[in-house]
Amino acid sequence: EEEEEEEPETDAAFARRDLVGALVHMDLVPRLRYLLEVFQLHTCFRSILELLVRLARHSRRSAVAVATCPRLMSVIYRFFLAPEKPNFAAAGSAGSAGSEHRTTTAEMTAREEAELEASRRQAALSCRTSALELVVALCQAGRHVAAEATAHGIMEQVCALLVLPNAHGLPETQPGERWVWRWLALRVWRVCAGYGLHCGILLSQHPLLVEQMRAVVAKWQPQPRQDEVEHQQQKEPSPAQGDPQHHHQQQQQQQ
């Protein structure tokens, strides 16, 4: 009897077995790139980036699909990692005509304009953080994926985030985001150095990178609590208590 040929697995069956893998198989990554590049609805940028991070962390196959998607990494660099400050005021106008509330500048009060600008700026900062998390996730998937993920000027900007104080586009009143970006950039640098990638960039900036690496490690190293410090000081004897000559001098003074 002839063996029956196995029927190909349907997308529904694949999704029940592996949802993330099925989404990648159904070309979700190019669709997300289209939303970023063409539709440009800035209110969805962070959600799209977080979804890409989840895909990159799922498996090496899905990470390869993200890193090798045509124009995706270059779009991420231009929109979120470029040296200039991220600004979504213009980026959201193309896709927001049909879904966002239309309010002319004349109808907005000064307070509403300030709140809108603050929300856009915070969204831009959050998107840059998510974009760096995506680069970290892709680099951890393998050397080939890391080479694709750090092209298009991304590695140069990662090094700039570490060595140049003004490369963040942040005022001094927001040091928290600055340290998070440096920490993520340091992770990218560490993985690429392990792969032997971008050696020229890393060697040219090595003294500054080491200096900033020490600063980042000191910033994120857990500090001992005050009660632990006091308890340790009580346990350690003072230098004078263990000195026999000092003890003899005290006895003579008492006599």
Side-chain angles (χ1 to χ4, degrees):
E1 297 180 359
E2 297 181 357
E3 295 183 358
E4 296 182 359
E5 296 182 359
E6 295 184 0
E7 295 182 359
E9 188 177 26
T10 63
D11 291 339
F14 190 10
R16 286 193 294 269
R17 180 171 57 85
D18 184 0
L19 178 58
V20 177
L23 292 175
V24 174
H25 177 70
M26 291 184 284
D27 295 331
L28 176 64
V29 179
R31 298 170 190 267
L32 294 177
R33 189 261 304 158
Y34 176 83
L35 292 178
L36 288 175
E37 184 181 24
V38 180
F39 197 61
Q40 295 187 4
L41 181 60
H42 72 88
T43 55
C44 299
F45 278 177
R46 187 177 182 185
S47 299
I48 294 173
L49 289 171
E50 290 177 350
L51 185 54
L52 290 172
V53 172
R54 178 64 183 88
L55 296 178
R57 290 174 177 172
H58 175 259
S59 63
R60 189 179 186 279
R61 182 179 179 181
S62 58
V64 170
V66 173
T68 59
C69 179
R71 303 192 307 278
L72 175 59
M73 297 309 297
S74 62
V75 168
I76 289 176
Y77 171 75
R78 294 199 318 267
F79 282 16
F80 311 113
L81 297 176
E84 61 270 11
K85 294 185 294 184
N87 187 0
F88 294 163
S93 60
S96 60
S99 58
E100 290 188 347
H101 178 66
R102 299 180 181 179
T103 306
T104 61
T105 306
E107 295 174 349
M108 296 176 61
T109 64
R111 181 178 179 180
E112 290 174 342
E113 290 181 359
E115 291 178 352
L116 180 60
E117 181 64 25
S119 64
R120 284 175 174 171
R121 180 171 182 81
Q122 185 60 41
L125 300 181
S126 300
C127 285
R128 176 171 284 186
T129 302
S130 299
L132 286 171
E133 290 177 350
L134 174 61
V135 176
V136 172
L138 292 175
C139 288
Q140 291 174 342
R143 189 180 190 278
H144 172 69
V145 183
E148 292 286 345
T150 53
H152 312 288
I154 291 178
M155 191 61 195
E156 288 81 356
Q157 181 61 13
V158 166
C159 289
L161 290 174
L162 279 173
V163 302
L164 299 179
N166 296 328
H168 307 79
L170 280 177
E172 294 296 331
T173 56
Q174 293 176 312
E177 293 285 351
R178 189 192 310 269
W179 283 109
V180 172
W181 292 351
R182 283 184 175 181
W183 175 250
L184 293 172
L186 180 60
R187 293 177 64 187
V188 175
W189 172 73
R190 182 186 64 181
V191 175
C192 289
Y195 293 146
L197 294 173
H198 308 288
C199 295
I201 300 174
L202 299 178
L203 289 175
S204 64
Q205 303 293 336
H206 183 265
L208 294 174
L209 285 171
V210 172
E211 180 181 351
Q212 294 299 326
M213 180 177 63
R214 291 174 179 172
V216 171
V217 172
K219 174 69 177 180
W220 292 96
Q221 186 175 10
Q223 300 295 330
R225 296 182 303 179
Q226 184 64 26
D227 55 348
E228 294 179 353
V229 175
E230 295 176 355
H231 180 67
Q232 185 67 22
Q233 291 176 351
Q234 292 176 358
K235 291 175 62 177
E236 295 179 355
S238 62
Q241 293 177 353
D243 189 0
Q245 183 178 0
H246 179 77
H247 182 68
H248 180 68
Q249 291 177 357
Q250 286 185 341
Q251 289 182 347
Q252 289 182 349
Q253 290 178 358
Q254 291 177 359
Q255 292 176 358

mmCIF file of all heavy atoms in Angstrom, residues 3 36 46 139 217:
data_model
loop_
_atom_site.group_PDB
_atom_site.id
_atom_site.type_symbol
_atom_site.label_atom_id
_atom_site.label_comp_id
_atom_site.label_asym_id
_atom_site.label_seq_id
_atom_site.Cartn_x
_atom_site.Cartn_y
_atom_site.Cartn_z
ATOM 1 N N GLU A 3 2.032 4.828 0.900
ATOM 2 C CA GLU A 3 1.876 5.685 2.079
ATOM 3 C C GLU A 3 1.211 6.998 1.680
ATOM 4 O O GLU A 3 1.524 7.579 0.641
ATOM 5 C CB GLU A 3 3.235 5.956 2.710
ATOM 6 C CG GLU A 3 3.903 4.701 3.266
ATOM 7 C CD GLU A 3 5.219 5.035 3.936
ATOM 8 O OE1 GLU A 3 5.588 6.237 3.916
ATOM 9 O OE2 GLU A 3 5.866 4.121 4.462
ATOM 10 N N LEU A 36 5.681 51.349 10.021
ATOM 11 C CA LEU A 36 6.675 52.327 10.458
ATOM 12 C C LEU A 36 7.063 53.279 9.338
ATOM 13 O O LEU A 36 7.113 54.497 9.533
ATOM 14 C CB LEU A 36 7.929 51.605 10.966
ATOM 15 C CG LEU A 36 7.847 50.881 12.304
ATOM 16 C CD1 LEU A 36 9.135 50.123 12.569
ATOM 17 C CD2 LEU A 36 7.569 51.853 13.446
ATOM 18 N N ARG A 46 5.826 52.760 19.519
ATOM 19 C CA ARG A 46 6.388 51.982 20.625
ATOM 20 C C ARG A 46 5.813 50.567 20.655
ATOM 21 O O ARG A 46 6.534 49.606 20.923
ATOM 22 C CB ARG A 46 6.133 52.680 21.958
ATOM 23 C CG ARG A 46 6.849 51.998 23.118
ATOM 24 C CD ARG A 46 6.655 52.713 24.426
ATOM 25 N NE ARG A 46 7.395 52.059 25.496
ATOM 26 C CZ ARG A 46 7.335 52.428 26.772
ATOM 27 N NH1 ARG A 46 6.578 53.461 27.130
ATOM 28 N NH2 ARG A 46 8.027 51.777 27.688
ATOM 29 N N CYS A 139 21.377 41.247 18.442
ATOM 30 C CA CYS A 139 22.800 40.911 18.580
ATOM 31 C C CYS A 139 22.991 39.609 19.351
ATOM 32 O O CYS A 139 23.916 38.834 19.059
ATOM 33 C CB CYS A 139 23.543 42.044 19.267
ATOM 34 S SG CYS A 139 23.758 43.523 18.252
ATOM 35 N N VAL A 217 29.009 50.811 35.066
ATOM 36 C CA VAL A 217 29.047 49.738 36.065
ATOM 37 C C VAL A 217 28.919 50.309 37.467
ATOM 38 O O VAL A 217 28.200 49.771 38.322
ATOM 39 C CB VAL A 217 30.341 48.918 35.906
ATOM 40 C CG1 VAL A 217 30.501 47.933 37.057
ATOM 41 C CG2 VAL A 217 30.336 48.172 34.585
#
